[in-house]
Amino acid sequence: MLYKFKSKATGDLIMLEPQGQQILKILGKTPGPKGIIEPADMLAAIEALHAAVDREEAAREQAIAEARAKGEPPPRFEGLALRQRVVPFVDMLRRAQAEEADVVWGV
């Protein structure tokens, strides 16, 4: 399944199901086939995404520090970091909020 996020203020944003569900969970939304983020909720959504990025980066830094303290090679992390995944979504939210437009999926 793909998540196709749409807004009148931006072009569409397509994510694979695992990444789309991760983003929605961070936002406190139930991952599902349909949903909406209203302009009034967008600032909180952006802050939640930034907080999740900060948590992930702190966990990665801690894992690297622990490996170095044990004399082990630093761990390798699979795939893209959350920071890279949320950039287009945060941009979509900012632009939609500026134009007071909803962000929807599955409609």
Side-chain angles (χ1 to χ4, degrees), residues 4-59:
K4 186 174 187 179
F5 296 97
K6 303 182 219 176
S7 176
K8 292 179 181 178
T10 67
D12 295 348
L13 177 61
I14 298 173
M15 290 187 184
L16 295 174
E17 184 175 15
Q19 291 77 28
Q21 287 181 349
Q22 179 186 23
I23 296 289
L24 293 174
K25 286 178 184 176
I26 290 169
L27 300 180
K29 298 283 186 182
T30 302
K34 293 183 180 183
I36 185 169
I37 303 170
E38 296 175 336
D41 300 326
M42 290 181 187
L43 183 58
I46 291 167
E47 290 171 354
L49 291 169
H50 285 303
V53 166
D54 291 344
R55 286 190 302 274
E56 181 187 77
E57 289 177 349

Side-chain angles (χ1 to χ4, degrees), residues 51-74:
V53 166
D54 291 344
R55 286 190 302 274
E56 181 187 77
E57 289 177 349
R60 286 181 176 216
E61 289 174 15
Q62 182 177 359
I64 292 168
E66 288 173 1
R68 287 189 179 145
K70 295 177 184 177
E72 298 172 355

